[in-house]
Amino acid sequence: QQYHAAAAEAGTWGYVTAAQGATMEEVEQLAAESAVVIFSVSTCCMCHAMKRLFWGMGVSAAVVELDEDPRGEEIDRALARLLGGTPVPVMFIGGKLVGTMDRVMAAHIDGTLVSLLKEAGAFWL
């Protein structure tokens, strides 16, 4: 939690709270509100690794912490329906689903992640 407080204080991450309901449309709406949106659980090491990856790249991401959001369980269920399983962390870039950590890392390794981020206007450096 110290990381989250320090990052929020520094303005690195835009923490967002989900609105009412967690239908697919609402998940898509949350995903479209920022260039990069990460659906996360604050105690998940893979979620932490994904947030650190993007912070290290100079990307300002909106983070929806499912375990801290009153609608988190519903959002989690909607994401699980979308992806066919337990999804966190889940990343959207430019309102489009990139996927879970394995897909994000594959895009990072093959070089397509940076172009997706540039197209979405996600870099703050």
Side-chain angles (χ1 to χ4, degrees):
Q1 282 196 332
Q2 286 179 338
Y3 168 74
H4 296 298
E9 188 174 304
T12 303
W13 299 107
Y15 286 88
V16 294
T17 301
Q20 305 158 2
T23 65
M24 293 299 213
E25 294 82 24
E26 289 165 317
V27 168
E28 290 171 2
Q29 181 181 356
L30 282 169
E33 289 178 358
S34 297
V36 177
V37 177
I38 300 171
F39 290 90
S40 170
V41 171
S42 64
T43 57
C44 169
C45 64
M46 296 305 283
C47 296
H48 178 75
M50 184 181 286
K51 291 180 278 192
R52 293 290 299 169
L53 169 68
F54 287 93
W55 179 75
M57 294 173 71
V59 172
S60 179
V63 178
V64 179
E65 295 290 3
L66 299 176
D67 59 328
E68 296 175 1
D69 192 293
R71 307 292 289 183
E73 287 183 30
E74 291 180 43
I75 296 168
D76 187 47
R77 283 192 297 271
L79 289 168
R81 285 190 306 271
L82 179 65
L83 295 166
T86 304
V88 295
V90 163
M91 157 107 7
F92 287 80
I93 299 176
K96 296 177 184 155
L97 175 65
V98 175
T100 57
M101 186 64 143
D102 58 337
R103 299 246 178 182
V104 171
M105 290 309 296
H108 183 51
I109 290 167
D110 73 15
T112 58
L113 184 60
V114 170
S115 62
L116 289 172
L117 293 167
K118 284 181 182 176
E119 287 173 26
F123 289 107
W124 56 270
L125 290 177

